[in-house]
Amino acid sequence: MTIAATSPMQSSSSSASRSQTTRKDRIIYWTTTGIVSAVMVFSIINFTFLQGVPFPEGGFVHLHLPNYFRIELTIAKTLGVLALLIPSVPTKIKEFAYFGFGITLISASIAHFSVGDASRSILFILDPLGFFIVLVVSYVYFEKLRAQKAAV
């Protein structure tokens, strides 16, 4: 009799715990996704309107990158931000956006290192890597939430 009485309570407790975990997971997912999106939007604005900040000659000239790449990267980042923020976008497209942002952040760190920006400030190299870690956390929680949704 006590077994039957504790079973529903355990089930209720388990359900409440699962609900709390899901809420925490959503908060972590949307916070990290928001941070990554904000960084990408900032870089879009920087590429488009603030070409002299923080390098007087412009970021792409400073990194020895062609101007057409600035246009391609701006369009790709815009589409990637939209893919991450719009919930109804298919999973494969979101994964493609995560992959593209990952390559972009690692490439930014390598590009700044290769032109000697570490001597100006190590943050030029570490910032993109820090945001890469935030991107990875966002992706892990994206997958976790997707698995939870599929299990329901």
Side-chain angles (χ1 to χ4, degrees):
M1 181 110 163
T2 56
I3 294 172
T6 57
S7 181
M9 289 185 74
Q10 288 175 346
S11 176
S12 174
S13 171
S14 174
S15 176
S17 173
R18 212 174 323 135
S19 174
Q20 189 66 17
T21 302
T22 301
R23 184 169 187 266
K24 179 194 78 156
D25 293 346
R26 281 192 197 121
I27 290 170
I28 293 170
Y29 167 71
W30 282 110
T31 300
T32 54
T33 302
I35 290 168
V36 168
S37 297
V39 166
M40 293 302 154
V41 168
F42 172 76
S43 71
I44 291 166
I45 292 168
N46 195 18
F47 295 164
T48 308
F49 302 111
L50 307 173
Q51 266 298 300
V53 178
F55 308 104
E57 69 275 20
F60 277 79
V61 172
H62 175 75
L63 295 173
H64 308 289
L65 299 170
N67 190 50
Y68 68 83
F69 187 61
R70 178 180 62 86
I71 297 164
E72 288 176 8
L73 203 53
T74 299
I75 292 168
K77 284 183 178 185
T78 302
L79 294 173
V81 167
L82 291 173
L84 292 187
L85 294 180
I86 298 172
S88 61
V89 170
T91 299
K92 290 292 181 193
I93 294 174
K94 286 184 183 283
E95 289 175 344
F96 190 69
Y98 276 112
F99 183 74
F101 285 159
I103 289 174
T104 299
L105 291 166
I106 291 170
S107 296
S109 186
I110 292 168
H112 282 287
F113 180 78
S114 69
V115 296
D117 283 343
S119 62
R120 283 179 121 175
S121 173
I122 193 70
L123 290 178
F124 284 114
I125 287 88
L126 296 180
D127 268 359
L129 296 177
F131 289 119
F132 177 75
I133 291 168
V134 175
L135 178 75
V136 169
V137 171
S138 173
Y139 181 73
V140 166
Y141 278 88
F142 168 72
E143 286 296 323
K144 189 173 182 180
L145 289 171
R146 195 169 70 102
Q148 289 173 357
K149 191 176 183 181
V152 172

